[in-house]
Amino acid sequence: MLEFFFGKHQTPREKMRQNLRALTRAQRELDRERAKIEQQEKKLVADIKKSARAGQMGACKVMAKDLVRTRRYVQKFYRMRTSLQGVALRVQTVSSNQE
């Protein structure tokens, strides 16, 4: 009856495994988002070149600022993924030391 209200009791090993799965899931989501942003970056570079050939320098400046912003986002995604990997590694080392 109490399991219905509070859920099934999990062992520490099950909780650790669940947390590791959540971390790897978050890493994959970050990779997907980063790939989308990198595709946008490629399109943006092509648009900048196209506008430069047409002589639209104002549009080029705006798009160049956007390009810098997207490149910063890509770097931020790399940093986030690295920190998630570090957390996952720490969790694994703690769990292996306990066994």
Side-chain angles (χ1 to χ4, degrees):
M1 180 73 178
L2 291 176
E3 288 182 10
F4 177 74
F5 292 114
F6 298 112
K8 185 183 175 204
H9 180 69
Q10 291 181 333
T11 64
R13 179 179 227 158
E14 290 171 343
K15 288 180 185 178
M16 188 254 331
R17 187 168 180 215
Q18 184 179 8
N19 289 334
L20 282 176
R21 288 185 66 192
L23 285 170
T24 54
R25 190 177 308 125
Q27 288 176 16
R28 274 182 273 141
E29 288 174 12
L30 284 175
D31 286 341
R32 283 189 210 108
E33 287 294 320
R34 183 182 44 81
K36 288 178 187 175
I37 290 175
E38 286 175 344
Q39 289 297 321
Q40 288 177 348
E41 180 183 345
K42 287 180 183 179
K43 290 177 186 175
L44 196 55
V45 168
D47 289 343
I48 290 172
K49 288 180 182 180
K50 185 178 176 183
S51 295
R53 286 189 196 112
Q56 300 170 339
M57 298 315 274
C60 285
K61 286 183 181 180
V62 172
M63 286 189 279
K65 288 179 184 178
D66 193 29
L67 179 65
V68 170
R69 195 176 307 117
T70 56
R71 286 183 178 165
R72 277 195 206 127
Y73 286 145
V74 168
Q75 293 300 318
K76 193 179 289 186
F77 275 106
Y78 276 121
R79 283 194 302 268
M80 284 191 286
R81 188 179 198 289
T82 304
S83 64
L84 283 177
Q85 283 176 327
V87 169
L89 184 63
R90 270 185 251 137
V91 168
Q92 283 179 333
T93 53
V94 166
S95 68
S96 66
N97 287 340
Q98 288 178 352
E99 290 177 0

